[in-house]
Amino acid sequence: MNKTTAAAQVLDGNAIATAIKAEVAIDIERLRAQGIQPGLTVVMVGNHPASEVYVRNKVKTSAELGIASELLTPPGSVTTEEMLQLIEKLNAREDVDGILIQLPLPAHVDAKRLLEAVSPEKDVDGFHPVNVGRLQSGQPALVPCTPAGIIETLRRTGIPIAGKHAVVVGRSDIVGKPMAMLLLHENATVTICHSKTKDLEGFCRSADILVAAIGKAGIITPEMVRPGAVLIDVGMNRIQSQAEFDRFFAGDAKREAGFKKNGSVLMGDIDPHAFALASYYTPVPGGVGPLTIAMLMASTVRAARLRRGLPVST
Ligand code: GUN
């Protein structure tokens, strides 16, 4: 007998981000009415074309929502000591609620030292060891924006997490590890897989919720996906070869036009053929990306509230 499966539903990151930003904007209005102006300072070192796009987007979105934002761009030759002095100044400034040091930093700069120098109260990225510890121990923390956005997406869509097997592929400090911790706090049974995992396929196939954040184009193939799974694709990879394009996107006229025009196309860690098997999935682009910026805005307002002892949502 033919068994029909429900069509996979797209988790529209742009639509969810718009809803989050609208709520944040209302909260900012409330704070401003009390004489509190949330402020975000973004620091981008040197020239990094990929970062520039992200950073300008962060600053632009802040302005749209009523956050006083500022972009500082020290030269690529800046020393660790000079950066530490800059961070000290930002830590001391009353008008700065959030400090974001855009990564990657040049190799000669001690990134760990800088991230530890940011006041935990202003660490809107949630990268400081104090916030990592607070997240782990279930205390109010500033949390990395991408994993926070993914939890927000699951919640807002009504996708159950408790009791589900969540498999996180990737163990980065920015996404994989905090993602696993947040899913655990939502009572998922969590497995973290990585580049050395044996039988990645077996783990992935048993996932109810699969989060791919390893940075390898299309590494999650349809054979690795359980029908009905929720697929979250954090990957953002640029593919440039015709062979790869044909493997992942043959017959996709819209992407082909983009590929011909630009010589490359963006894709995630999940082979798009797998999406048809899912109950829900995040596309690339237009899935997780917009959520990260929306959650940065929410994190800045959260930092502004926490620093003043005002209440925050969990
Ligand atoms: N570079 C890429 N993603 C991020 C992020 O979430 N925060 C910072 N600070 N840098 C990044």
Side-chain angles (χ1 to χ4, degrees):
M1 196 175 79
N2 271 345
K3 202 170 150 206
T4 52
T5 42
Q9 293 194 50
V10 180
L11 294 167
D12 182 345
N14 284 307
I16 297 169
T18 299
I20 294 170
K21 286 189 286 187
E23 291 167 17
V24 172
I26 290 170
D27 198 16
I28 292 168
E29 237 172 71
R30 236 182 261 137
L31 288 171
R32 287 168 81 168
Q34 298 172 53
I36 298 166
Q37 169 61 66
L40 172 68
T41 298
V42 178
V43 183
M44 178 176 61
V45 176
N47 286 91
H48 199 272
S51 289
E52 266 173 40
V53 178
Y54 289 125
V55 161
R56 294 204 188 287
N57 223 338
K58 288 171 185 176
V59 173
K60 183 170 144 259
T61 308
S62 302
E64 283 166 7
L65 268 53
I67 293 172
S69 63
E70 159 184 65
L71 172 61
L72 304 180
T73 55
S77 58
V78 75
T79 64
T80 300
E81 290 306 322
E82 286 166 339
M83 282 296 289
L84 288 171
Q85 284 168 19
L86 172 65
I87 291 168
E88 269 321 302
K89 281 197 189 123
L90 296 174
N91 284 342
R93 263 175 57 186
E94 196 45 44
D95 62 325
V96 175
D97 293 295
I99 302 169
L100 184 143
I101 312 292
Q102 183 69 22
L103 303 175
L105 287 160
H108 69 272
V109 173
D110 187 341
K112 269 216 156 82
R113 261 183 89 193
L114 299 194
L115 297 182
E116 282 195 35
V118 173
S119 161
E121 272 54 57
K122 298 189 176 187
D123 168 37
V124 282
D125 265 324
F127 292 168
H128 192 286
V130 165
N131 280 315
V132 175
R134 284 181 182 155
L135 170 61
Q136 162 132 355
S137 57
Q139 298 170 50
L142 294 170
V143 175
C145 300
T146 300
I150 291 167
I151 294 290
E152 199 58 31
T153 299
L154 297 173
R155 275 197 197 142
R156 284 174 189 247
T157 312
I159 295 171
I161 306 174
K164 301 294 180 186
H165 185 202
V167 174
V168 180
V169 184
R171 55 176 155 178
S172 70
D173 292 336
I174 298 182
V175 181
K177 288 182 203 164
M179 184 78 256
M181 195 51 65
L182 287 171
L183 287 162
L184 185 62
H185 288 330
E186 297 290 330
N187 297 312
T189 302
V190 182
T191 302
I192 304 178
C193 297
H194 47 79
S195 56
K196 302 282 191 298
T197 295
K198 294 205 170 88
D199 193 21
L200 178 63
E201 177 166 344
F203 282 113
C204 289
R205 264 199 85 82
S206 76
D208 301 305
I209 300 170
L210 180 59
V211 181
I214 201 161
K216 266 189 180 285
I219 188 173
I220 307 296
T221 61
E223 297 72 41
M224 297 162 80
V225 171
R226 177 152 97 183
V230 176
L231 300 180
I232 307 291
D233 196 346
V234 184
M236 187 57 88
N237 313 292
R238 193 168 285 285
I239 58 166
Q240 290 174 311
S241 82
Q242 185 70 48
E244 272 186 308
F245 182 86
D246 290 344
R247 178 178 159 210
F248 295 120
F249 297 114
D252 182 336
K254 204 169 150 215
R255 293 228 191 206
E256 184 151 22
F259 183 63
K260 286 223 165 89
K261 184 164 162 250
N262 305 318
S264 68
V265 70
L266 284 174
M267 72 170 290
D269 291 350
I270 301 178
D271 179 337
H273 297 105
F275 291 147
L277 296 166
S279 53
Y280 294 92
Y281 71 96
T282 60
V284 177
V288 169
L291 294 164
T292 299
I293 293 195
M295 293 311 286
L296 172 64
M297 303 299 116
S299 186
T300 303
V301 174
R302 185 178 171 82
R305 284 182 162 277
L306 285 172
R307 199 156 66 87
R308 292 169 178 85
L310 297 171
V312 292
S313 55
T314 52

